Amino acid sequence: MAKIFMSRRLPSEAIKMLEKHELDIYEGDSPPDKQEIIKRVKDKDILISLLTDAIDKDVINASPSLKMIANYAVGYDNIDVKEATKRNIVVTNTPGVLTETVADLTWALILSIARRIVEGDKFMRQGKFKGWAPLLMLGGDIYKKTLGIIGAGRIGKAVAKRAEGFRMNIIYYSRHRNEEMERIAKYVSLNDLLKKADFISLHVPLTNETYHLIGRNELKMMKKTAYLINTARGKCIDEDALYEALKNGEIAGAALDVYENEPNVNKNLIKLDNVVLTPHIGSASLETRTKMAVMVAENVLSFLKGEIPPNCVNLEVYKK
Ligand code: NAP
Ligand code: GLV
Ligand code: GLV
């Protein structure tokens, strides 16, 4: 029987799968703070963490018995994987099961920002609609426009595939060329993508390389009529630079699901009409959150059987 700390209550399917083990669940409505995590993880074998938990050196080294960190997310930038690997702690994530759900939300954002859906909804509720008018709420077209995907991974490809239905011209940039992507999209440099795309959508993980990937200079390269969509990680965009670009009309709009300093939102961005904001809900469908929970439990159970868990992100631990 393993001792497990779960930093928030996951869907019941996962709890059921782990019921033979000693499960300590943090039951708060908001994420536990660092001191709480350190206190609860102290005597545990396994930590089931969320992307809202910073699993840094202090947390990792707070428990001499810790052997595994199972993250309930595909992104694992919240974990100091290098430090975990040093301690031979196995780290897992939840790839694949959320891909289509995040791609759907990305498209919801593309459509919302271009066709001013959120602004229009507010306008209706405020009783401002006085009837059809030739120049009322003119937005941008999507059909046959150019979509630029940054990061040709699972989600980037799923977003590109949906663009075929809109007969878009699809271009992409990634560190490596991707065969599957090139059936429908053309590989370009990052600068070319920034200059040519009408819609730019970010699908990279947060790493040292992608921190502020989109900053002042990149925004300046974009078309004045272009839209920026981010369902990756907030820190991939310099939010202050984005605010300036939106305010000064350097780009047409932005739609964001993720923020530089979650859960805080840039106070200036909130004031703008040409921004759509959602609360980090990319994977938030009932079906997908359940599949992610089952995947976390499968990773844990597989690890406890002495196998290499299916979604291990630091295989180096097994090669030592
Ligand atoms: P993935 O399959 O690993 O795709 C990410 C792609 O980014 C990789 O294929 C990689 O391809 C590319 N990449 C990495 N570093 C890059 C760089 N420096 N420049 C350009 N491209 C780079 O991951 P995924 O499952 O699609 O998920 C992507 C990210 O979405 C996650 O890491 C997470 O942060 C975010 N996410 C957000 C939500 C949400 O709720 N909003 C939900 C799920 C995921 P190359 O090797 O070719 O560079
Ligand atoms: C969500 O943001 C994830 O990385 O799964
Ligand atoms: C608009 O409703 C139209 O009929 O063109």
Side-chain angles (χ1 to χ4, degrees):
M1 196 171 67
K3 288 184 174 178
I4 304 172
F5 174 53
M6 186 182 267
S7 72
R8 295 292 282 285
R9 181 170 283 274
L10 298 191
S12 58
E13 284 78 358
I15 314 277
K16 251 178 255 152
M17 287 170 73
L18 299 170
E19 70 188 355
K20 288 203 182 84
H21 297 280
E22 201 179 303
L23 201 52
D24 173 17
I25 305 176
Y26 180 78
E27 298 286 3
D29 288 334
S30 48
D33 62 22
K34 189 167 162 178
Q35 284 322 307
E36 183 70 22
I37 299 177
I38 286 180
K39 198 174 95 194
R40 304 277 283 264
V41 95
K42 235 183 181 90
D43 59 337
K44 302 296 190 297
D45 303 303
I46 293 175
L47 163 62
I48 296 180
S49 55
L50 267 59
L51 61 91
T52 44
D53 306 321
I55 309 302
D56 60 11
K57 207 171 171 165
D58 300 336
V59 175
I60 290 170
N61 292 317
S63 169
S65 52
L66 194 64
K67 297 171 196 69
M68 179 192 202
I69 302 167
N71 215 34
Y72 183 58
V74 66
Y76 48 88
D77 51 276
N78 59 307
I79 301 170
D80 186 340
V81 177
K82 214 169 152 192
E83 193 60 30
T85 306
K86 232 193 261 174
R87 280 255 341 257
N88 289 328
I89 295 171
V90 170
V91 180
T92 60
N93 68 342
T94 62
V97 286
L98 44 60
T99 299
E100 304 301 336
T101 306
V102 181
D104 284 349
L105 184 87
T106 306
W107 266 94
L109 291 178
I110 292 173
L111 291 160
S112 298
I113 189 63
R115 298 306 305 271
R116 304 174 67 171
I117 302 294
V118 178
E119 238 185 304
D121 180 89
K122 270 188 222 150
F123 187 83
M124 294 304 295
R125 289 169 202 268
Q126 287 166 351
K128 289 183 179 166
F129 184 43
K130 304 291 179 238
W132 193 96
L135 301 179
L136 179 64
M137 292 226 164
L138 306 187
D141 271 325
I142 298 160
Y143 186 74
K144 286 197 171 171
K145 288 289 184 72
T146 296
L147 172 66
I149 300 277
I150 303 182
R154 290 171 290 252
I155 299 170
K157 280 184 279 192
V159 169
K161 281 178 192 158
R162 283 160 174 70
E164 286 195 291
F166 287 83
R167 296 190 57 191
M168 292 181 95
N169 168 39
I170 311 166
I171 56 179
Y172 83 99
Y173 167 73
S174 216
R175 289 169 311 178
H176 309 97
R177 294 182 72 142
N178 184 288
E179 208 179 304
E180 194 187 339
M181 191 65 142
E182 289 194 21
R183 283 184 216 137
I184 55 172
K186 186 171 171 255
Y187 185 78
V188 294
S189 68
L190 180 58
N191 284 358
D192 276 354
L193 184 144
L194 293 165
K195 286 182 208 155
K196 288 181 182 154
D198 300 302
F199 294 86
I200 295 179
S201 194
L202 296 186
H203 300 289
V204 292
L206 174 63
T207 62
N208 290 337
E209 270 179 58
T210 62
Y211 175 81
H212 283 191
L213 184 67
I214 304 296
R216 201 170 303 279
N217 294 335
E218 290 72 25
L219 289 158
K220 281 205 190 319
M221 279 186 239
M222 288 174 61
K223 293 183 184 179
K224 279 193 163 50
T225 50
Y227 299 94
L228 181 64
I229 322 297
N230 190 9
T231 59
R233 280 292 180 266
K235 286 187 169 66
C236 298
I237 297 179
D238 177 344
E239 265 176 19
D240 288 330
L242 176 62
Y243 167 70
E244 290 298 323
L246 287 163
K247 190 186 60 161
N248 300 333
E250 285 168 32
I251 68 170
L256 312 172
D257 185 47
V258 286
Y259 306 90
E260 245 195 289
N261 299 300
E262 289 181 23
N264 300 321
V265 185
N266 185 304
K267 290 195 173 55
N268 290 322
L269 275 182
I270 267 185
K271 294 183 208 146
L272 300 175
D273 277 330
N274 53 346
V275 183
V276 169
L277 308 169
T278 51
H280 202 151
I281 51 170
S283 66
S285 75
L286 190 58
E287 299 96 316
T288 291
R289 286 288 165 84
T290 303
K291 285 182 198 158
M292 288 165 65
V294 168
M295 192 172 240
V296 164
E298 282 169 354
N299 279 320
V300 168
L301 294 175
S302 150
F303 173 78
L304 289 173
K305 271 197 255 165
E307 297 164 358
I308 300 176
N311 310 110
C312 177
V313 303
N314 60 343
L315 286 169
E316 306 94 278
V317 168
Y318 291 96
K319 289 178 191 147
K320 279 192 194 172

